[in-house]
Amino acid sequence: MRFLSTFLLLSPFLSLGLAQDFDAAEIPKEKFNYQSDVARMRKIVINSLYSHKEIFLRELISNANDAIEKLRLTALIDKTVWDGTDPLNITIKAVKNEDGKGGKLIITDTGIGMGPEELTTNLGTLAKSGTSDFLARAEGAEGAATGNLIGAFGLGFYSSFLVADKVHVASVPAKSEKYPEPVQYVFSSSSEDSSFEIFPDPRGNTLGRGTEITLELKDDSSEYLENQEITALVSKHSSFSTSFPIYLFTQRTDEVPDEDVILEETQSAESVPKPTSDTDDADADDTDEAVIEDVSEEEQTPAPPKMKSITVDEWVRLNGQPPIWTRDPKEVTDEEYTLFYNAFFKDFSPPMTWTHFSGDSGSGVSFKAIVFLPDKIEDSYWQQPLLSQSKDIKLMVKRVFITNDLGEDALPKWASWVKVVVDAEDLPLNVSRETLQSTAFLRQLKSIILKRIIQLFNKMADLETEDSEKFEKFYEIFGGILKLGAVEDQKNREKLAAITRFTTNHRNFTTLDQYLENRKQGQKQIFYLAEMGENPQELAKSVFVEKLHARGYEVLLFTEPLDEIFVQNIRRWKNVPFQDIAKVGLKFGDEDTDEEEEKEQQKEAAQKYKPLMEYLQKQGRGVVRDVVISNRLVTSPVAIVADSFGYTANVQRMMASNPGAGKNPMHDFAMKARVLEINPRSPLIEGLLKKVEALPTEEEGRDVEAEEELEEVASILLDGALIRSGFEVPSTNDFFGRVDRVLRRSLGVSEHAPTDDTVKPAPPVDPELPAFEELYQMPPEDGKAGVYVPPHMQDDLSIEMEEIDEEGNVVAPRDEL
């Protein structure tokens, strides 16, 4: 936030320095009872209506803004109330008691002011709005329609009792026909009284014009006497709520030369007689002889002046800049947008991009808004994206912050990270002005913001050819968001899916539309292969891709967790279905054009390898459901594919990460629904077929050793197929045991040769527990938060803690009461 520091020599400000004594005995005071059940209702306002007591400052500043705006609009018709020369502003001053306990907070405005009758009417009647009455009278008057007036003065005023035991409102109306000689009056009431007092201000007319509210703060509200806390609240709730200046009284200490000490030293130096030489008496007339004296360097350097501390009173402006969203976007620089984003959303990285616009919700409510895309998405979002809540949509009404909780009309989870400020001209608020009475505007606003987010996505996607480096950064951050949005948001699914990019076996950053442009004749499916966490270049070498790649088909390579979920929800793109090439049923689309000779070769291969398929099906019982001749393999001997309703290896890994998976029969069936495909042109498969056919039958006399050796080879082949296809082997120990035996045989080493397994035994049992270092608590006080550290770290570790509020802001330190 930028601060404007200045000395203000204005009569309304000078009045703040006067004694706040409203208890003069000689002043006649008129006592009034609150009307009907107002006293009881006031307690509800104080104790139940507002969820945070800090709201009081927002309400009082908003009321002060209304009073000044009321003066300005009245002056359009009656120049006597304000001639335009004296300033219109709001001031805040904290006055601590001399004993250091408690104090007063004074909020003053130079607005229209109130006479004794208006004090009684506006403050003595709950929710009686002077502002509302004024607008009703001014309807049709020039300028009234554009007045920035919000809320009910009376009700907002009673939020004062959230923090104050007693409230005094001193006010003097502007000079007018009704008040030719205005007199300053005081409204006084305590939080427990069922009555209030109206009386002439014993201090006289200290305001000139306007209203001064003095809050005698409760003991548990002393933090509002700290300038740091006041500044934070104004920044949070009111820094953009008024076009009139808001000033805070501050004091600082400066070091200046002490003129009194300097004057004394000068006078002392002049009173000391000048030294004379011995020759002066003897030869006073000898003017030709000069006396030369040696002067040291220390004597030549003047001593630094004596300094003293003085206290300087200063008024600091808290809202130096007008709201950026109210300005013409053409007049706002990129630097200003960035500075606003950093300060308003407390994100000190520059935003990636933004859009600044104004519009109408469709229900007659006009608004202005800025939508920012941050340059990063927090890691915590990706841990549970569907549970995240939007906290950075700041909804304002006429520049008064209302809420960042849009309830049921919040943005969908995929867009909950976006940062938006929305300022509506008028909305139906509840009496506390913390929530909306109606959600019609919010539903419309949600749709508008999502539309703008998608427009920003398209804007960044257009940079792919112009600024590829910036586009790659954008997609690195928001690629997953696009896919999540397409999954979650059915209404905007097609728009978001169109912006997504994928890596293929042919190129990077391919859109689905670009993929369809490269589709081959007869191809009726979009081919894809998913393996979560795999490198795309390695995935392109998969056994499932090799024939498609060899024939020139393009395959989408999915390596991110959301890719598979994306496809399962999209299902089709431009009416073309997706095909997982790790499943059965792979069709290239040109099978009908195959020559009869090729079809005959396929039938012959199935007949030829029937003994091997039957043997492998028997050996793979529990691992695969069936064994077939493959039409997808080129050089690899085998592959295991998922059945139509089975889980691919990628889906199995995703299911394994879900603790609740695997608790029903359908899941078990899908886990085992796999098919082994063999490549009839592979020399390994041909050799294995010969081994199977060479096994002796029962009649010929079984060769047990040959059968065991072949079973071991078949087991290694099946396990290798599982690993090659991305699945897990049933037992890694058994698998590597078989590999070990095969390696021994290939190296001519005996399979039964033992390995030396002698090891050093452990020491005997120790009956006593080891002595551990004592742990030390910092801080050591009971009931305090602390950290346990061992003694050797005590000198190297210090702990400092800060209290933070629910929004993560540091709470200013305050005295314990």
Side-chain angles (χ1 to χ4, degrees):
M1 176 180 292
R2 297 181 178 178
F3 295 101
L4 176 63
S5 300
T6 181
F7 291 99
L8 303 174
L9 301 178
L10 304 173
S11 58
F13 296 156
L14 294 178
S15 68
L16 295 178
L18 300 177
Q20 304 293 322
D21 185 7
F22 301 103
D23 299 325
E26 67 277 7
I27 299 297
K29 298 181 179 181
E30 191 172 359
K31 195 169 187 177
F32 299 87
N33 290 323
Y34 287 111
Q35 296 180 4
S36 62
D37 291 333
V38 170
R40 192 174 72 179
M41 283 296 296
R42 190 175 59 143
K43 291 184 178 180
I44 296 176
V45 172
I46 297 170
N47 299 324
S48 305
L49 185 60
Y50 293 95
S51 56
H52 301 287
K53 65 180 182 178
E54 67 182 33
I55 297 298
F56 85 94
L57 190 59
R58 181 196 74 179
E59 294 295 314
L60 296 182
I61 291 176
S62 180
N63 291 341
N65 178 71
D66 292 350
I68 299 175
E69 184 75 352
K70 189 173 180 178
L71 175 76
R72 188 184 67 82
L73 293 177
T74 304
L76 297 176
I77 301 171
D78 184 1
K79 296 292 185 182
T80 59
V81 299
W82 181 58
D83 58 6
T85 57
D86 57 309
L88 304 178
N89 48 52
I90 302 167
T91 64
I92 306 172
K93 182 177 182 180
V95 181
K96 296 181 180 180
N97 292 337
E98 294 181 359
D99 59 5
K101 297 181 180 180
K104 300 173 183 177
L105 189 65
I106 306 166
I107 297 98
T108 307
D109 67 72
T110 57
I112 193 70
M114 293 176 285
E117 297 85 0
E118 292 166 314
L119 284 171
T120 304
T121 303
N122 293 342
L123 304 186
T125 304
L126 188 65
K128 177 65 178 178
S129 175
T131 295
S132 300
D133 288 345
F134 168 74
L135 278 179
R137 293 194 305 271
E139 187 175 2
E142 182 180 358
T146 60
N148 181 21
L149 307 173
I150 179 175
F153 184 93
L155 187 61
F157 163 74
Y158 278 103
S159 65
S160 304
F161 292 104
L162 293 170
V163 297
D165 285 321
K166 200 166 187 178
V167 178
H168 310 281
V169 181
S171 189
V172 56
K175 191 172 184 179
S176 62
E177 183 178 346
K178 182 178 179 180
Y179 297 107
E181 298 293 334
V183 178
Q184 186 166 314
Y185 271 77
V186 175
F187 166 98
S188 183
S189 180
S190 69
S191 58
E192 300 298 329
D193 287 346
S194 59
S195 62
F196 58 91
E197 294 178 330
I198 301 289
F199 54 89
D201 196 329
R203 304 169 302 172
N205 189 345
T206 60
L207 297 173
R209 181 196 68 245
T211 301
E212 171 195 87
I213 300 177
T214 302
L215 309 179
E216 296 184 10
L217 296 180
K218 300 176 181 179
D219 291 342
D220 62 356
S221 299
S222 58
E223 67 266 27
Y224 302 115
L225 294 172
E226 302 297 333
N227 285 346
Q228 182 181 359
E229 181 72 14
I230 297 171
T231 301
L233 291 182
V234 172
S235 175
K236 177 180 179 180
H237 294 290
S238 306
S239 58
F240 302 114
S241 64
T242 174
S243 55
F244 306 109
I246 303 174
Y247 293 98
L248 175 65
F249 179 78
T250 63
Q251 290 182 322
R252 72 171 194 272
T253 301
D254 286 352
E255 295 291 327
V256 299
D258 191 336
E259 296 181 356
D260 295 336
V261 175
I262 294 173
L263 181 60
E264 291 177 2
E265 291 178 348
T266 303
Q267 293 174 347
S268 299
E270 292 176 351
S271 63
V272 176
K274 295 181 179 180
T276 58
S277 64
D278 296 337
T279 58
D280 288 344
D281 296 333
D283 193 4
D285 296 332
D286 189 359
T287 58
D288 294 334
E289 185 176 352
V291 178
I292 301 176
E293 297 181 0
D294 293 331
V295 181
S296 66
E297 185 176 349
E298 294 180 356
E299 294 175 346
Q300 290 180 349
T301 304
K306 300 293 184 180
M307 306 295 287
K308 68 177 180 179
S309 298
I310 63 170
T311 299
V312 179
D313 295 343
E314 188 174 24
W315 291 94
V316 178
R317 183 168 180 177
L318 303 182
N319 61 338
Q321 285 289 339
I324 196 171
W325 60 81
T326 63
R327 298 163 58 188
D328 186 343
K330 297 177 181 178
E331 299 176 355
V332 184
T333 65
D334 290 353
E335 182 182 6
E336 287 177 308
Y337 280 118
T338 300
L339 289 173
F340 169 77
Y341 172 85
N342 296 154
F344 197 76
F345 294 104
K346 298 179 182 177
D347 182 354
F348 298 101
S349 300
M352 178 164 288
T353 187
W354 58 82
T355 179
H356 183 180
F357 61 96
S358 59
D360 191 292
S361 65
S363 58
V365 178
S366 59
F367 66 92
K368 296 182 179 181
I370 308 178
V371 177
F372 290 96
L373 298 189
D375 74 336
K376 63 180 179 297
I377 303 294
E378 299 296 335
D379 293 340
S380 57
Y381 173 86
W382 287 115
Q383 293 171 3
Q384 289 184 316
L386 297 183
L387 297 180
S388 62
Q389 296 289 334
S390 176
K391 296 181 179 179
D392 287 320
I393 299 183
K394 309 293 186 182
L395 178 61
M396 301 189 176
V397 175
K398 294 186 177 178
R399 291 173 287 180
V400 174
F401 174 73
I402 300 301
T403 184
N404 59 1
D405 181 7
L406 305 187
E408 296 179 355
D409 298 303
L411 294 183
K413 307 301 181 182
W414 71 266
S416 59
W417 44 267
V418 75
K419 300 182 187 296
V420 185
V421 54
V422 179
D423 187 5
E425 283 301 312
D426 188 25
L427 283 178
L429 305 178
N430 75 345
V431 289
S432 71
R433 301 200 293 183
E434 293 185 85
T435 56
L436 296 173
Q437 291 178 346
S438 172
T439 58
F441 171 74
L442 295 184
R443 289 194 295 270
Q444 296 156 350
L445 180 64
K446 172 183 176 180
S447 177
I448 293 170
I449 293 176
L450 292 178
K451 178 181 177 181
R452 291 289 177 167
I453 294 173
I454 295 173
Q455 288 178 355
L456 287 176
F457 284 159
N458 281 305
K459 171 187 172 183
M460 297 303 297
D462 291 339
L463 294 174
E464 186 173 4
T465 54
E466 302 173 11
D467 190 343
S468 59
E469 184 176 341
K470 190 171 184 179
F471 169 76
E472 289 177 10
K473 180 184 177 183
F474 156 76
Y475 201 81
E476 179 183 355
I477 298 170
F478 295 102
I481 293 293
L482 294 171
K483 296 169 186 175
L484 179 61
V487 170
E488 183 190 8
D489 192 344
Q490 189 170 0
K491 181 179 179 181
N492 294 298
R493 175 171 294 171
E494 188 171 343
K495 297 176 183 177
L496 292 167
I499 313 172
T500 55
R501 301 288 195 272
F502 301 96
T503 299
T504 74
N505 57 323
H506 290 170
R507 52 187 169 171
N508 297 327
F509 295 112
T510 304
T511 66
L512 295 176
D513 287 337
Q514 290 171 339
Y515 179 95
L516 292 182
E517 291 172 2
N518 196 36
R519 188 167 50 122
K520 306 301 181 183
Q521 291 184 5
Q523 181 183 344
K524 299 177 182 179
Q525 298 160 314
I526 298 174
F527 299 124
Y528 77 90
L529 177 64
E531 187 165 347
M532 185 173 56
E534 182 61 273
N535 183 289
Q537 287 72 31
E538 289 299 317
L539 187 57
K541 301 174 184 177
S542 169
V543 294
F544 303 117
V545 179
E546 57 184 35
K547 190 169 184 178
L548 287 161
H549 183 73
R551 295 196 61 192
Y553 287 93
E554 191 168 18
V555 180
L556 300 176
L557 304 175
F558 293 163
T559 59
E560 298 178 2
L562 275 171
D563 291 336
E564 184 104 13
I565 302 173
F566 170 83
V567 169
Q568 290 174 357
N569 283 268
I570 296 292
R571 296 186 179 274
R572 291 174 176 267
W573 183 252
K574 304 294 177 65
N575 293 321
V576 181
F578 288 88
Q579 168 66 52
D580 189 342
I581 63 173
K583 284 193 170 188
V584 298
L586 176 64
K587 299 292 183 181
F588 296 94
D590 62 348
E591 285 79 6
D592 294 339
T593 63
D594 289 348
E595 298 179 1
E596 290 298 326
E597 183 180 353
E598 293 179 353
K599 295 178 181 179
E600 189 63 30
Q601 289 176 352
Q602 192 77 3
K603 290 181 181 179
E604 291 177 358
Q607 186 63 33
K608 175 183 177 181
Y609 285 93
K610 184 177 180 181
L612 176 60
M613 290 190 290
E614 291 176 348
Y615 178 81
L616 291 175
Q617 188 170 356
K618 178 182 177 182
Q619 297 298 320
R621 187 178 294 113
V623 178
V624 295
R625 180 188 59 80
D626 197 6
V627 181
V628 299
I629 299 296
S630 177
N631 71 333
R632 77 182 76 216
L633 299 177
V634 178
T635 59
S636 299
V638 290
I640 292 181
V641 298
D643 211 341
S644 300
F645 299 100
Y647 293 154
T648 62
N650 187 62
V651 173
Q652 285 194 16
R653 280 190 291 273
M654 295 174 64
M655 296 292 289
S657 64
N658 180 9
K663 303 300 182 182
N664 59 77
M666 289 302 297
H667 172 80
D668 294 336
F669 172 78
M671 290 287 288
K672 298 175 181 178
R674 295 182 290 218
V675 175
L676 174 66
E677 293 189 359
I678 62 173
N679 182 4
R681 296 185 292 180
S682 169
L684 178 62
I685 298 301
E686 291 179 356
L688 193 58
L689 174 63
K690 292 177 182 179
K691 286 286 186 181
V692 170
E693 291 176 334
L695 284 176
T697 62
E698 288 283 350
E699 293 78 10
E700 296 173 348
R702 292 176 57 191
D703 185 345
V704 177
E705 185 177 346
E707 288 179 1
E708 291 178 352
E709 184 176 336
L710 187 58
E711 286 178 6
E712 196 160 67
V713 171
S715 296
I716 293 175
L717 182 71
L718 285 169
D719 286 344
L722 286 169
I723 295 172
R724 190 186 291 256
S725 303
F727 295 97
E728 294 184 356
V729 296
S731 172
T732 55
N733 290 327
D734 292 345
F735 171 69
F736 285 107
R738 287 189 288 267
V739 171
D740 180 68
R741 288 192 294 272
V742 171
L743 290 174
R744 282 172 175 247
R745 286 197 297 267
S746 66
L747 296 173
V749 177
S750 172
E751 298 178 29
H752 306 291
T755 301
D756 184 6
D757 59 356
T758 58
V759 295
K760 180 182 178 181
V765 175
D766 188 350
E768 296 183 4
L769 292 175
F772 290 98
E773 295 178 309
E774 287 189 7
L775 297 180
Y776 176 79
Q777 185 182 11
M778 299 177 61
E781 292 85 4
D782 293 337
K784 298 283 187 176
V787 177
Y788 289 93
V789 294
H792 70 274
M793 295 179 60
Q794 295 174 15
D795 296 333
D796 301 326
L797 183 67
S798 62
I799 305 296
E800 293 183 4
M801 297 186 180
E802 292 180 330
E803 182 183 357
I804 60 174
D805 60 19
E806 59 186 11
E807 295 186 357
N809 302 315
V810 176
V811 176
R814 54 183 182 271
D815 295 335
E816 296 289 342
L817 298 178

